Amino acid sequence: MKRFITLAIVLLLSLSSQSMAGLFGPATSLTEPGSFYLGGGYTYFPADIKRGNLRELETKQNQLFIQGGMGLTGGWEVYVRGGIADWQVENGYLNSGDESDSGVLPFGSVGVKGPVYIGKYLTIGPFFQASYFSLYDDDISVGTVDVVVDGTSTEITNASEKIYFDNLWEFNAGITLQMMMEGAYLYGGPFYYVASSEYRSVISGDQGSFRVADTDLEEDKNIGAFIGVRWPLKNGLSIDFEGLYKSDFSLGAAVHYAF
């Protein structure tokens, strides 16, 4: 059993070596009830995003964050996470094949998790995590283009296209299965997720500005799975590595210090 779990983690981390994603962590809290911890980490992850009846988007995002949490009764914890994230999008422009690449902007997350069953070998518990990201936008020169306004085609000269990703949020809920092996917490399980944003494309030029697209974005899938390991170190320190599959493979890492 130990050999199988170790092999599964190694396999997932190998598959995920090109990308990283947000962390859920083990089922049980890092600290005692009423005590606190601080931590930080870096993630990078891709996603396939549906854009109404337009071409599907391929996105990538880097996140650098700090996290603070408090232990609750029964091994539960609540935490907040804040940091900066960028936003890279392929197929984002309707009139150009160039990649959109936004600068870093703030984001925030909140979460709660804890065990509902603690056995001799296995611990099981739910988790919930929600995140909200800042407005992302980018623009590019597209020369001369034709746009359709009220059913009439209009030629726009000296045109630029600006795209917006507004009200970007994500929600995750799942079940964590956790066990101890040689001093480390091994954990994983299934989860449900939903992510959404509002997409707009505006063409501006000598003839004025025209909104040419306005639609909602949704991630391509809604069911994922994750697997990870937490190593408790000395003096309240611990380190997490976690592999995750949503619409693509991801990997993340973080360090925490419990008071």
Side-chain angles (χ1 to χ4, degrees):
M1 184 65 175
K2 292 180 180 180
R3 183 177 299 177
F4 173 78
I5 295 174
T6 302
L7 179 60
I9 292 176
V10 171
L11 177 61
L12 183 53
L13 297 187
S14 298
L15 289 172
S16 306
S17 61
Q18 298 301 314
S19 56
M20 292 180 261
L23 304 174
F24 301 133
T28 52
S29 175
L30 264 169
T31 188
E32 299 296 324
S35 297
F36 297 89
Y37 72 85
L38 289 175
Y42 168 79
T43 63
Y44 167 78
F45 63 94
D48 297 327
I49 306 293
K50 293 184 293 184
R51 180 175 48 170
N53 60 358
L54 301 174
R55 186 179 180 184
E56 187 175 84
L57 302 176
E58 297 179 9
T59 69
K60 301 174 184 178
Q61 189 174 65
N62 296 277
Q63 296 180 5
L64 185 66
F65 65 88
I66 58 174
Q67 178 172 316
M70 181 180 72
L72 306 175
T73 59
W76 283 69
E77 75 170 50
V78 60
Y79 61 87
V80 294
R81 180 182 298 171
I84 53 175
D86 64 0
W87 185 245
Q88 300 158 25
V89 185
E90 294 184 13
N91 310 324
Y93 294 110
L94 301 182
N95 295 276
S96 173
D98 289 5
E99 180 180 86
S100 171
D101 189 357
S102 175
V104 294
L105 292 169
F107 78 97
S109 303
V110 295
V112 60
K113 63 180 180 178
V116 294
Y117 170 79
I118 301 177
K120 184 176 181 181
Y121 301 106
L122 182 67
T123 298
I124 303 174
F127 67 86
F128 306 92
Q129 185 185 97
S131 301
Y132 188 83
F133 299 84
S134 299
L135 166 69
Y136 291 90
D137 59 61
D138 199 10
D139 61 86
I140 193 170
S141 175
V142 293
T144 300
V145 297
D146 291 324
V147 300
V148 177
V149 181
D150 297 328
T152 303
S153 179
T154 302
E155 184 180 81
I156 308 300
T157 55
N158 295 319
S160 63
E161 180 178 3
K162 188 168 187 177
I163 54 177
Y164 301 82
F165 300 88
D166 199 4
N167 293 324
L168 176 60
W169 58 267
E170 182 181 53
F171 176 76
N172 301 274
I175 298 294
T176 304
L177 310 177
Q178 171 188 306
M179 64 179 297
M180 289 288 294
M181 189 179 78
E182 298 181 358
Y185 293 94
L186 304 180
Y187 62 91
F191 66 97
Y192 170 83
Y193 64 94
V194 59
S196 180
S197 178
E198 298 172 6
Y199 170 84
R200 302 192 308 279
S201 174
V202 177
I203 298 293
S204 299
D206 294 337
Q207 290 72 26
S209 296
F210 306 88
R211 183 176 297 191
V212 295
D214 192 341
T215 187
D216 292 333
L217 303 180
E218 295 181 353
E219 203 156 357
D220 190 43
K221 299 178 181 179
N222 295 108
I223 302 296
F226 69 107
I227 187 170
V229 57
R230 170 173 290 170
W231 279 287
L233 305 175
K234 295 181 179 180
N235 302 320
L237 288 173
S238 64
I239 185 169
D240 294 357
F241 291 99
E242 188 172 304
L244 177 149
Y245 181 78
K246 295 169 71 175
S247 57
D248 209 332
F249 285 103
S250 304
L251 179 67
V255 177
H256 303 97
Y257 173 71
F259 295 94

